Amino acid sequence: MGASLNDVKHRITSTKKTRQITSAMEMVSQAKLNQIQKHTKNYAEYASQVKSVVLHLAQTHILDGLTKSSGHSADNDQSKPKRTAYLVITSDRGMVGSYNSNVIRETNQFINQHSGKSKDYQILAVGGNGSEFYKKRGENVSYEYRGVSDVPTFVEVHQIVKTITSMYDAGNFDELYVCYEHFVNRMVSRFRAEKMLPVDDEAIQGQASQDIEVKPMTAEYDVEPSEKEVLNVVLPQYAQSLVYGAILDAKTSEHASSSTAMKSASDNADDLISSLELQYNRARQAAITTEITEITGGQEALSK
């Protein structure tokens, strides 16, 4: 009985230490979530303006001839099947609940729907979990980036965008979809797969259908110095804003998922501690009762 009591007492102590760790991790994740939400709020104003300009350019048909005038080979040869790239955003670390598994599962479903049985696609992985998953399964991971900051800066993401757009311009793939978890609130996130390249009607309308704030603007433009020069400035900013916004969004979901997972772990630890303490008290009470019974029985034997 003594050994059993010691085992239970040891489990209580160990579980309390685990709860201290998970509680601390929950606080850290919550602080990161608050920080990135403030950062995202400031960035949303810029993103809204860029998206508004592009959406209204589309309404004025300035973008109509963009893909036709593009030098990209896939745009000029409609008989060739499109080679698709999927930018998959996951975390580098674990202990984020079902965050990574949700992204990968939903991405796989989207790939199956979009690419079908064709294997002529590639994975661009931002985050170690996604990279390792697809590498282990022999998928074509043509680009990976690890170590995204807890609150990513535009400069940091600009390097990612620059590399990806260079791959697109070089003809490595014909279209790009960004796959990530969209932050809804601290308890809910939803998977999104958004077309980023080329910037055509499908990509623009896809963005227009999202729950983004679009600033009211007139659909009439005086273009100076030329339409081409305007597009050369606006469209790269648009592409950058999409990827940067997706990474910010994904990181926000990651921190929220981590905070929720650590809170759940702490709550489970509390439940286990309560159960173990009840078990310990009952075992201790039983041991005391047994000891009193033995002493009483011994005294009765001596008195006879």
Side-chain angles (χ1 to χ4, degrees):
M1 183 64 70
S4 177
L5 279 172
N6 287 334
D7 289 342
V8 174
K9 189 174 183 179
H10 176 73
R11 288 188 63 191
I12 292 173
T13 302
S14 177
T15 305
K16 284 183 177 179
K17 290 180 179 179
T18 300
R19 183 185 59 183
Q20 290 177 344
I21 295 172
T22 55
S23 296
M25 293 180 69
E26 178 190 350
M27 292 177 61
V28 171
S29 295
Q30 190 64 50
K32 291 178 180 178
L33 177 60
N34 293 336
Q35 186 180 4
I36 199 170
Q37 282 186 298
K38 292 179 181 178
H39 186 75
T40 303
K41 184 177 180 180
N42 294 331
Y43 168 75
E45 179 68 22
Y46 163 78
S48 175
Q49 292 288 356
V50 173
K51 290 177 180 178
S52 296
V53 170
V54 174
L55 289 173
H56 286 85
L57 283 174
Q59 291 177 4
T60 59
H61 305 291
I62 291 178
L63 298 178
D64 286 353
L66 178 63
T67 55
K68 295 179 182 179
S69 62
S70 172
H72 200 272
S73 59
D75 295 330
N76 298 323
D77 189 353
Q78 299 298 327
S79 63
K80 295 175 65 177
K82 288 186 177 181
R83 297 163 299 166
T84 306
Y86 300 95
L87 176 61
V88 185
I89 305 174
T90 60
S91 71
D92 290 307
R93 62 192 181 95
M95 293 184 289
V96 290
S98 60
Y99 172 78
N100 290 309
S101 60
N102 286 344
V103 175
I104 292 172
R105 183 185 67 255
E106 295 284 355
T107 298
N108 289 341
Q109 291 178 1
F110 181 76
I111 291 175
N112 290 335
Q113 293 172 359
H114 188 74
S115 294
K117 296 181 179 179
S118 173
K119 290 296 182 181
D120 193 15
Y121 64 83
Q122 54 192 281
I123 302 295
L124 312 180
V126 173
N129 275 274
S131 177
E132 292 300 326
F133 175 87
Y134 288 107
K135 280 183 175 180
K136 288 179 180 178
R137 283 151 184 79
E139 299 283 1
N140 179 18
V141 180
S142 59
Y143 172 79
E144 63 176 305
Y145 185 95
R146 304 187 185 215
V148 174
S149 304
D150 290 326
V151 182
T153 64
F154 189 82
V155 174
E156 178 183 1
V157 175
H158 176 69
Q159 297 302 317
I160 300 175
V161 178
K162 185 178 180 180
T163 302
I164 291 172
T165 52
S166 296
M167 294 172 67
Y168 173 76
D169 291 337
N172 290 14
F173 50 85
D174 304 317
E175 59 180 4
L176 173 68
Y177 285 87
V178 184
C179 305
Y180 67 100
E181 282 286 290
H182 164 62
F183 175 80
V184 178
N185 55 51
R186 300 189 179 207
M187 299 298 295
V188 179
S189 62
R190 294 193 183 100
F191 175 78
R192 278 185 177 176
E194 299 176 346
K195 188 174 183 179
M196 191 191 89
L197 293 171
V199 182
D200 54 16
D201 286 341
E202 180 186 346
I204 294 171
Q205 294 306 319
Q207 281 296 312
S209 67
Q210 302 293 358
D211 53 347
I212 61 171
E213 180 186 0
V214 178
K215 298 295 182 181
M217 299 175 67
T218 177
E220 298 180 359
Y221 287 88
D222 291 327
V223 180
E224 185 179 336
S226 69
E227 294 179 1
K228 183 177 180 181
E229 292 297 325
V230 171
L231 294 176
N232 286 339
V233 173
V234 172
L235 294 185
Q237 291 187 26
Y238 177 70
Q240 291 170 12
S241 71
L242 289 185
V243 177
Y244 183 52
I247 292 177
L248 273 180
D249 203 352
K251 269 292 179 182
T252 306
S253 294
E254 177 188 331
H255 295 324
S257 183
S258 176
S259 176
T260 301
M262 292 303 100
K263 183 180 187 307
S264 178
S266 297
D267 291 343
N268 290 337
D270 284 332
D271 292 341
L272 181 57
I273 290 169
S274 297
S275 176
L276 289 172
E277 286 180 340
L278 179 60
Q279 180 182 345
Y280 177 81
N281 290 333
R282 284 177 175 175
R284 186 167 177 270
Q285 186 63 45
I288 293 172
T289 302
T290 301
E291 187 174 342
I292 292 174
T293 301
E294 291 175 350
I295 293 173
T296 304
Q299 288 178 340
E300 291 179 353
L302 291 174
S303 63
K304 291 181 179 180

